């Protein structure tokens, strides 16, 4: 046993040490060239596909119309704090708790139309009252990175009260770590803006541009996405969410790690970056304008040499993809069960570097892969342990209600992504872990009268009446297992409408209607009836009848 564990540890150490080795990435693999051709053809044949293409194009154009310089400058650096709240206890500086009905993260923002400003949805007051944009520029170093202590503090005054003798001259003024209102309360407006508007827009822009490229084959979108990813690669190695606790930020606490955002939410940011890079990879090959721009920026800001597209790709792969994998290993990226597993999986596949990628994917199945925990206690979390011991015999995750089902949905996505990457054959979730099939069947079994999931623990909400899952989810189960019971469940959730079964990625299929037609036929052989259910390991029994 000891020999096995030591071998696993050695394997993990070797793969991180050899991360720069292996064959270079050659092509997009998550959305291949053939899949892009299918999407273009389907957009000429089906109205829904054409609408999807035009929607993606419109979202991409919002960012593609910006100059390369403007996109590059969208990406902030570690020195600019991030926070998920402004001041949760006080609420809005003007209307207080009247902002509460607008949600947990209520402030309105628009990076392009009103930079560095937040608007209260309750009273429409705008904060902060200083020109933070001017202060931000004055605080940039030779690498284009923000350092608050370098900024010109003469710029920090209330623009509506420019007279230094005015008692409001320094009120509602934010230098990055918060502003003080007239009652002395601190509100972290710029930190909230940086997390939600600045980094949130970077994530959306990269994703929108990548999707626009895959559905239109317009290389302009790939170019713009790569500009953003190149700049993210400049700053990402230094990103550390944990040290923000020293600034007294509400969302950070001592010992809580992370990168751009906290270690749980970083999972989604990470797999979005990885998949976007892979999707645009084909579109930036031979893009000399991209190489020229990145080279100019690198020279101007002393960021190393980037003379070719290959240099840009290596920069992104090393400073984003490899760095993300290392962050999973050292628990700076660690989400709810399945989330950081999906991060590692998507990142390793996006890297697509021969034996190196294979070793990373093997690591997912090793005891040394971290489970869901904290820096002080990280249990083992390899996929075999998660699927054999983490899921109960009925396919439910190890938490209550929607939290346990969250395990289910992520494990299913992991199985799908791995099944669609034929270069990896060492492990097969569908073949080797039959319990995974129950993940598609457990949620309907937990329902009362096929209508509502009992609200247990802190899942759901008071008075909520509804059923989890969606028709498309059960259609995905049928696609993997070809089980008529899953087809019947899918059709029930679709209210008998086969079109409601259409997958988001169906536009990339040679025949995008084949799956929904097959499911409609298979479902007819399995009539549905309400019946009693007993989930002994989970601890729920439902006595029910149709009469």
């Amino acid at each position: 046993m000891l020999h096995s564990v030591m071998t696993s540890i050695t394997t993990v150490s070797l793969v991180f040490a050899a991360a720069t080795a292996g064959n270079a990435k050659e092509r997009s693999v998550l959305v291949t060239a053939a899949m892009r051709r299918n999407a273009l053809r389907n957009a000429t044949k089906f109205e829904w596909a054409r609408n999807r293409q035009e929607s993606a194009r419109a979202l991409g154009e919002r960012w593609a119309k910006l100059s390369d310089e403007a996109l590059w400058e969208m990406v902030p650096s570690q020195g600019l704090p991030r926070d998920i709240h402004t001041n949760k206890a006080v609420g809005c500086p003007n209307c207080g708790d009247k902002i509460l009905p607008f949600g947990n993260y209520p402030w309105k923002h628009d990076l392009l139309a009103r930079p560095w400003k937040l608007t209260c949805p309750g009273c429409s007051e705008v904060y902060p009252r200083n020109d933070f944009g001017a202060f931000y520029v004055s605080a940039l170093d030779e690498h284009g990175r923000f350092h608050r202590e370098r900024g010109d503090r003469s710029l920090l005054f209330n623009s509506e009260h420019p007279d230094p003798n005015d008692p409001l001259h320094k009120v509602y003024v934010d230098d990055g770590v918060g502003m003080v209102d007239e009652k002395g309360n601190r509100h972290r407006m710029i930190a909230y803006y940086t997390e939600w508007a600045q980094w949130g827009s970077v994530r959306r822009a990269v994703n929108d541009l990548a999707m626009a490229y895959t559905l239109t084959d317009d290389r302009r979108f790939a170019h713009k996405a790569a500009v953003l990813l190149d700049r993210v690669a400049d700053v990402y190695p230094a990103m550390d969410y944990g040290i923000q606790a020293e600034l007294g930020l509400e969302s950070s606490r001592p010992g809580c790690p992370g990168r751009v955002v906290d270690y749980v939410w970083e999972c989604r940011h990470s797999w979005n970056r990885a998949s976007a890079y892979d999707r645009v990879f084909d579109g930036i090959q031979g893009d000399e304008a991209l190489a020229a721009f990145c080279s100019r920026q690198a020279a101007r800001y002393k960021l190393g040499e980037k003379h070719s597209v290959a240099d840009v790709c290596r920069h992104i792969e090393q400073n984003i993809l490899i760095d993300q994998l290392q962050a999973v290993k050292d628990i700076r990226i660690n989400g709810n069960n399945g989330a950081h597993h999906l991060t590692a999986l998507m990142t390793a596949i996006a890297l697509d570097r021969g034996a190196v990628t294979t070793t990373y994917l093997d690591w997912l199945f090793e005891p040394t892969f971290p489970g869901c925990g904290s820096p002080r206690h990280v249990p083992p979390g390899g996929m075999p342990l998660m699927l054999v011991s983490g899921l109960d015999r009925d396919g439910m995750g190890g938490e209550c209600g929607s939290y346990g089902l969250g395990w289910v949905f992520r494990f299913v996505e992991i199985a799908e992504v791995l099944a669609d990457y034929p270069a990896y054959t060492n492990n097969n979730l569908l073949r080797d872990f039959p319990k995974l099939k129950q993940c598609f069947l457990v949620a309907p079994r937990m329902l009362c009268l096929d209508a509502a999931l009992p609200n247990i623990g802190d899942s759901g909400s008071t008075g909520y009446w509804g059923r989890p899952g969606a028709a498309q989810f059960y259609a995905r189960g049928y696609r993997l297992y070809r089980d008529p019971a899953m087809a019947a469940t899918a059709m029930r959730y679709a209210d008998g409408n086969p079109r409601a079964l259409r997958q988001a990625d169906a536009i990339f299929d040679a025949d995008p209607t084949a799956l929904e037609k097959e499911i409609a036929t298979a479902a007819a052989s399995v009539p549905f009836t309400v019946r009693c259910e007993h989930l002994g390991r989970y601890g729920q029994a439902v006595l029910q009848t149709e009469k």
Side-chain angles (χ1 to χ4, degrees):
M1 178 65 178
L2 178 61
H3 173 74
S4 175
V5 172
M6 293 303 296
T7 300
S8 297
I9 294 173
T10 302
T11 299
V12 174
S13 300
L14 287 175
V15 69
F16 283 102
T20 57
N23 298 327
K25 181 178 179 66
E26 296 180 353
R27 62 187 66 85
S28 297
V29 294
L30 293 171
V31 177
T32 65
M35 294 167 69
R36 294 196 306 274
R37 288 193 295 270
N38 287 339
L40 293 177
R41 183 170 56 252
N42 288 331
T44 66
K45 296 172 60 178
F46 302 100
E47 183 179 4
W48 62 265
R50 184 164 57 255
N51 292 339
R52 171 91 184 276
Q53 182 189 65
E54 289 309 309
S55 176
R57 191 193 306 274
L59 289 173
E61 287 290 358
R62 182 171 188 252
W63 308 107
K65 68 182 180 182
L66 300 180
S67 67
D68 288 355
E69 289 79 5
L71 288 170
W72 194 90
E73 291 169 359
M74 272 176 53
V75 181
S77 57
Q78 168 63 17
L80 201 56
R82 287 89 66 200
D83 206 339
I84 62 173
H85 301 297
T86 57
N87 184 323
K88 198 171 183 181
V90 174
C92 172
N94 179 60
C95 68
D97 60 9
K98 290 182 180 179
I99 197 174
L100 295 182
F102 294 91
N104 203 28
Y105 313 110
W107 290 89
K108 296 192 294 184
H109 45 78
D110 190 325
L111 179 116
L112 300 182
R114 204 165 197 178
W116 304 114
K117 299 293 183 183
L118 297 178
T119 301
C120 174
C123 64
S124 299
E125 287 295 306
V126 178
Y127 303 100
R129 299 285 169 76
N130 58 303
D131 182 357
F132 182 80
F135 178 73
Y136 175 81
V137 171
S138 75
L140 297 178
D141 67 10
E142 62 183 352
H143 306 298
R145 295 169 181 164
F146 178 82
H147 297 274
R148 191 174 69 260
E149 65 277 8
R150 292 174 57 102
D152 182 354
R153 303 197 71 82
S154 70
L155 298 171
L156 294 172
F157 63 90
N158 188 324
S159 301
E160 298 175 6
H161 299 271
D163 183 353
N165 296 316
D166 190 321
L168 296 179
H169 184 66
K170 291 290 186 178
V171 180
Y172 305 119
V173 174
D174 197 329
D175 68 349
V177 295
M179 69 178 200
V180 176
D181 65 20
E182 294 175 72
K183 297 179 181 179
N185 299 308
R186 180 168 292 276
H187 302 263
R188 295 164 294 276
M189 297 298 180
I190 291 300
Y192 182 102
Y193 179 93
T194 302
E195 176 144 343
W196 291 107
Q198 206 76 22
W199 276 108
S201 292
V202 170
R203 178 171 62 84
R204 285 189 297 274
V206 168
N207 190 63
D208 289 347
L209 290 163
M211 183 58 71
Y213 168 67
T214 60
L215 293 181
T216 66
D217 221 25
D218 186 337
R219 289 163 62 95
R220 290 183 307 119
F221 297 123
H223 172 98
K224 296 294 185 177
V227 167
L228 281 166
L229 288 168
D230 174 72
R231 181 53 177 163
V232 172
D234 289 336
V235 303
Y236 192 72
M239 300 305 295
D240 184 354
Y241 203 76
I243 66 172
Q244 297 193 117
E246 301 170 8
L247 301 175
L249 299 179
E250 196 166 352
S251 63
S252 185
R253 61 189 185 277
C256 178
R259 303 303 302 276
V260 171
V261 294
D262 79 84
Y263 68 149
V264 175
W265 288 8
E266 185 68 20
C267 293
R268 182 171 297 277
H269 279 254
S270 297
W271 73 59
N272 277 339
R273 282 189 294 263
S275 64
Y277 171 66
D278 177 79
R279 283 181 286 165
V280 302
F281 182 84
D282 288 350
I284 62 175
Q285 301 311 301
D287 187 348
E288 296 305 321
L290 173 66
F293 172 77
C294 294
S295 180
R296 288 195 304 272
Q297 294 297 92
R300 178 181 177 184
Y301 291 98
K302 301 179 181 179
L303 300 171
E305 296 184 355
K306 302 175 189 175
H307 297 307
S308 66
V309 171
D311 289 340
V312 174
C313 290
R314 278 192 293 270
H315 180 58
I316 293 170
E317 291 174 16
Q318 186 62 41
N319 284 8
I320 297 180
L321 303 187
I322 298 297
D323 205 287
Q324 287 179 181
L325 289 162
Q326 177 64 42
V328 172
K329 179 176 181 286
D330 61 26
I331 322 301
R332 288 182 295 161
I333 297 176
N334 187 278
N336 296 324
N337 274 310
H340 55 285
H341 299 76
L342 185 58
T343 293
L345 174 70
M346 295 287 284
T347 303
I349 290 176
L351 186 63
D352 194 33
R353 197 180 287 180
V356 173
T357 287
T358 295
T359 309
Y360 280 128
L361 295 179
D362 285 344
W363 176 48
L364 270 168
F365 294 84
E366 295 286 351
T368 52
F369 192 89
C372 175
S374 69
R376 295 180 179 177
H377 175 67
V378 183
M383 289 304 299
L385 180 65
M386 291 292 96
L387 292 171
V388 174
S389 300
L391 294 178
D392 67 27
R393 62 175 176 262
D394 295 309
M396 182 61 172
E399 296 180 81
C400 291
S402 59
Y403 283 90
L405 292 175
W407 295 33
V408 169
F409 299 146
R410 283 186 290 271
F411 289 155
V412 165
E413 188 168 1
I414 289 168
E416 289 178 310
V417 173
L418 199 59
D420 287 339
Y421 186 60
Y424 182 74
T425 58
N426 290 358
N427 291 280
N428 184 315
L429 291 177
L430 304 180
R431 178 195 65 207
D432 301 336
F433 300 94
K435 191 190 295 185
L436 184 67
K437 183 178 180 181
Q438 300 305 313
C439 290
F440 288 99
L441 304 172
V442 65
R445 293 182 59 202
M446 296 172 66
L447 298 179
C448 295
L449 301 177
D450 193 39
L453 178 74
N455 289 324
I456 301 174
D458 65 345
S459 65
S461 58
T462 302
Y464 173 74
W465 181 273
R467 58 186 186 185
Q472 293 92 340
F473 176 75
Y474 301 107
R476 288 158 58 192
Y478 179 81
R479 182 169 61 183
L480 291 173
Y481 290 101
R482 288 317 197 259
D483 185 336
M486 294 184 189
T489 302
M491 284 297 288
R492 190 166 81 253
Y493 272 66
D495 294 325
N497 178 14
R499 293 182 180 180
L501 304 175
R502 189 170 297 141
Q503 303 296 302
D505 59 359
I507 193 170
F508 298 113
D509 294 341
D511 182 356
T513 65
L515 180 65
E516 60 199 62
K517 293 176 182 176
E518 184 179 339
I519 289 174
T521 300
S525 65
V526 185
F528 170 73
T529 57
V530 170
R531 64 181 185 180
C532 298
E533 291 287 359
H534 178 221
L535 291 86
R537 177 63 180 85
Y538 178 63
Q540 176 181 306
V542 180
L543 298 176
Q544 57 189 349
T545 177
E546 290 189 340
K547 297 181 180 180

